[in-house]
Amino acid sequence: MSITTNAQGHLTIGGVDALALAQEFQTPLYVYDVGAIREQIRAFKRVFEAEPVDYAVSYASKAFATVAMYQVAAQEGAHIDVVSGGELYTALQADFPMQDVAFHGNNKSEAELQLALDHHVGTIIVDNFYELDLLTRLLTATPERTQDILLRVTPGISAHTHAYDQTGQVDSKFGFDLDSGQAEQAAKTSLATPQLNLRGIHAHIGSQIFEVAGFVGATTKLLEILCDWHTRLGFTPAVLNVGGGFGIRYTEADDPLPAEDFVHAIIETAKAAELPFAVPAIWIEPGRSIVGPAGYQLYTVGSRKDVPGLRPYVAVDGGMGDNIRPALYQADYDAVKADAPLAPATEHVHLVGKYCESGDILIDDAPLPATQPGDVVAVLATGAYGYTMASNYNRNPRPAVVFVEGGAAKLVVRRESYADLTVNDLSYL
Ligand code: LLP
């Protein structure tokens, strides 16, 4: 894992001392190295621009969605995908260009679709027949308008990843099935609906994937379908959206390819295919690979439990409420002591949280130097699906989020207060 330190030997994030961040903003704290976010977006763009091929890097904002993050995505010329009215609302608050938004979801409500139409969201990625009907009906209120859509299909490819992170296999809740003819029926219906402008297809095979084979297979399969639709339906695609899912390094045990290699393989597959039409614009939807490695969570060490013959428990001031991934997916992370991140480990501990649940274990087997109450510990590569999956379990306020760049830190989400916890509670008396 790449660790940077300053003259005191302290961990630095974006050029700022992690201990100073903990002091100024308190813990638990989410910290993002904004330069790393920007660099990953740029790295994806460079791969496309070197080819060159038309493209969109559509940041999958479910990985980390805040006004500040949408602002950075816009600055970098990324598109975004949103999956709820709430994400769309947040993007609106950030003045994100709506033309560059793609709206996903397997059960978008009428209100969510209406919100998207009201704000002229660029692309709606239609998932199912119910949505196709609903969208068509909503559009009749504005007969002069058309809406760009993609159809999401399930390519029948199971990615090698955690079962909850697989989405491309046939038995999935997402998208139109191919083999049964549902996807083709959806295409026919779309093409026959004047207010729907079908631009292409989408597939997402899963998340935290380490091999290019799944993406190559999905690209090949999607292009086969598009060729078939070209021949039989007279459809010429403008967009091929292959989703996201590029794996990142959480611990030394992970050995991911550079995320750009996945994109390169996708582009080469598309260019090598014999197509009766020009290679469509290739859209990717990376989430984790853009924000995951750029994120750190800072915690303060509190209590410790030593049981003879057993691994000690070292407890910190956060846990499953701010990072549910270890409990939910058995996800592994590495942690370092912020004042001595390169110090050799002297013991293996269970790094646990403060939640009333035995499963509230952040790192089951964390090699660490000796820690004392008050020490700050940083858990690495926590930028994806941490803040966005946080909860108020045990009525713990959610932590603040700080962006660090060029040696300066800025609060971008304030820490919740106890008053925030009861703001929606109503008295029953
Ligand atoms: N596009 C679509 C349609 C998706 O469903 C997802 C993730 C992505 C893109 C972005 O995938 P990424 O590049 O971030 O892997 N909460 C889980 C991950 C759920 C992913 C859901 N969809 C986790 O923490 O591992």
Side-chain angles (χ1 to χ4, degrees):
M1 311 291 287
S2 68
I3 298 280
T4 50
T5 55
N6 59 15
Q8 291 88 53
H10 298 173
L11 174 70
T12 59
I13 305 170
V16 178
D17 189 318
L19 286 185
L21 291 169
Q23 190 131 48
E24 180 175 357
F25 300 102
Q26 310 297 299
T27 60
L29 186 67
Y30 299 99
V31 183
Y32 283 84
D33 177 349
V34 181
I37 295 175
R38 294 190 195 281
E39 182 44 44
Q40 187 56 60
I41 296 174
R42 290 174 194 176
F44 280 128
K45 291 173 72 171
R46 281 196 295 270
V47 184
F48 288 107
E49 281 162 12
E51 291 288 342
V53 58
D54 282 348
Y55 71 95
V57 175
S58 187
Y59 166 59
S61 65
K62 62 186 77 80
F64 174 61
T66 65
V67 167
M69 180 58 210
Y70 287 123
Q71 290 168 334
V72 170
Q75 283 176 338
E76 293 302 322
H79 293 205
I80 54 167
D81 96 48
V82 299
V83 290
S84 68
E87 286 184 353
L88 179 55
Y89 176 84
T90 310
L92 283 164
Q93 299 308 300
D95 282 331
F96 194 90
M98 287 293 124
Q99 182 54 37
D100 296 343
V101 176
F103 193 8
H104 262 295
N106 72 309
N107 189 23
K108 303 177 191 76
S109 70
E110 181 168 336
E112 286 175 319
L113 285 173
Q114 190 60 55
L115 186 70
L117 292 176
D118 290 348
H119 292 281
H120 296 268
V121 160
T123 305
I124 295 181
I125 303 187
V126 177
D127 184 277
N128 53 69
F129 289 110
Y130 169 76
E131 183 183 346
L132 207 50
D133 286 349
L134 187 54
L135 183 59
T136 304
R137 180 160 61 73
L138 293 176
L139 279 165
T140 58
T142 49
E144 72 289 355
R145 271 183 75 168
T146 60
Q147 174 65 50
D148 287 354
I149 63 166
L150 304 182
L151 295 176
R152 178 168 184 166
V153 301
T154 36
I157 290 172
S158 300
H160 176 68
T161 184
H162 189 285
Y164 292 180
D165 276 342
Q166 294 183 355
T167 40
Q169 73 279 17
V170 171
D171 192 358
S172 157
K173 74 169 180 170
F174 297 104
F176 292 98
D177 182 60
L178 287 171
D179 295 342
S180 61
Q182 289 174 6
E184 183 174 326
Q185 184 52 50
K188 280 186 188 152
T189 304
S190 306
L191 292 170
T193 307
Q195 286 191 268
L196 296 179
N197 180 29
L198 178 63
R199 300 196 70 222
I201 53 177
H202 167 281
H204 172 75
I205 58 172
S207 203
Q208 186 59 359
I209 298 167
F210 283 97
E211 289 154 17
V212 293
F215 292 100
V216 169
T219 304
T220 304
K221 181 90 184 221
L222 293 180
L223 286 169
E224 277 169 22
I225 299 158
L226 289 172
C227 288
D228 188 40
W229 291 0
H230 182 78
T231 312
R232 288 153 24 81
L233 311 180
F235 172 62
T236 299
V239 174
L240 173 72
N241 185 331
V242 295
F246 316 130
I248 65 163
R249 171 170 294 154
Y250 281 100
T251 71
E252 296 296 343
D254 297 326
D255 190 17
L257 296 169
E260 305 85 89
D261 287 14
F262 291 100
V263 181
H264 193 70
I266 291 162
I267 297 170
E268 292 312 315
T269 305
K271 282 179 123 179
E274 277 185 31
L275 304 174
F277 43 78
V279 173
I282 297 175
W283 290 12
I284 56 167
E285 296 176 328
R288 188 190 316 267
S289 50
I290 288 178
V291 290
Y296 300 73
Q297 282 187 256
L298 303 183
Y299 300 99
T300 301
V301 171
S303 69
R304 177 187 179 103
K305 177 177 175 181
D306 285 291
V307 182
L310 295 180
R311 204 181 297 155
Y313 287 84
V314 170
V316 297
D317 54 355
M320 66 191 296
D322 52 68
N323 185 357
I324 190 68
R325 299 193 69 260
L328 196 55
Y329 313 119
Q330 296 76 50
D332 286 329
Y333 290 92
D334 273 344
V336 296
K337 214 166 149 252
D339 64 353
L342 303 175
T346 53
E347 61 176 355
H348 284 241
V349 305
H350 298 288
L351 191 71
V352 300
K354 59 171 291 185
Y355 290 76
C356 285
E357 203 149 326
S358 298
D360 175 28
I361 297 171
L362 283 171
I363 304 177
D364 190 45
D365 182 355
L368 280 173
T371 51
Q372 306 295 328
D375 282 345
V376 175
V377 164
V379 181
L380 309 176
T382 52
Y385 305 105
Y387 171 78
T388 43
M389 295 180 79
S391 76
N392 290 125
Y393 186 41
N394 293 169
R395 289 248 138 168
N396 283 302
R398 275 172 294 196
V401 183
V402 170
F403 272 18
V404 183
E405 188 166 25
K410 190 166 178 0
L411 185 69
V412 294
V413 179
R414 68 167 177 76
R415 184 177 301 284
E416 284 180 344
S417 65
Y418 287 148
D420 289 330
L421 295 174
T422 56
V423 76
N424 292 316
D425 284 21
L426 301 172
S427 171
Y428 187 50
L429 297 180

